[in-house]
Amino acid sequence: MTTFFTADTHFGHTNVIGMCHRPYSNITDHDMGLVENWNAVVGPDDEVWHLGDFAYRASPKWTRRLFEMLNGTKRLVVGNHDFKGETLKLPWKSIDQLTETTVDGQTLVLCHYSLRVWRNMRRGAVQLYGHSHGNLPGTAQSIDVGVDVMGYAPVTWPQIKARLELQPKLDFRDDSDVVEAIEIKP
């Protein structure tokens, strides 16, 4: 079993093609292209963490059909568009707002939104997010795994790690988690 990550597929969302300059001529080509890309890398026994915005403005029937066409065990970290329509009714293995997982010994903090700080970030935990459609630069410990950034397909931890190595390192002001007390004068 291989673990994959993706975000912001926006199945059924006609306007996302122009807004994000996606290389598809219409929403049917878009949706089927993303399904084809997904299934080209994800096998039936693999696991995929979808970090939000699975579908938007797709009919319930089409949303469910797309979900069924996609390989793998699917887990959802809820995005802002997932509260509308059918997405939360799909048979995800899990549904979370924010969660952690470990892949190849690496702690990953998963959220639809980019975080400025997260648990164990000073101890090497990496944060994966979506939502920004490639408009928010990552760091060596935090990166957008959405389809607009990752070639319109889910990606593995080794692929993510290779991209993180090209990002700027986080610069902590000190090397501890201790916050010194300060005196506040009225």
Side-chain angles (χ1 to χ4, degrees), residues 1 19 29-30 32 34 52 61 68 79 108 127 131 145:
M1 178 195 83
M19 289 180 346
D29 289 347
H30 171 270
M32 296 315 296
L34 292 182
K61 184 177 179 181
E68 291 167 354
L108 302 171
Q127 199 251 324
H131 188 67
V145 295

Side-chain angles (χ1 to χ4, degrees), residues 47-51 73-77 92-94 96:
E47 178 176 72
V48 181
W49 286 91
H50 193 294
L51 306 188
T73 299
K74 298 170 281 290
R75 297 176 177 270
L76 178 67
V77 177
W92 301 95
K93 183 164 185 181
S94 64
D96 297 285

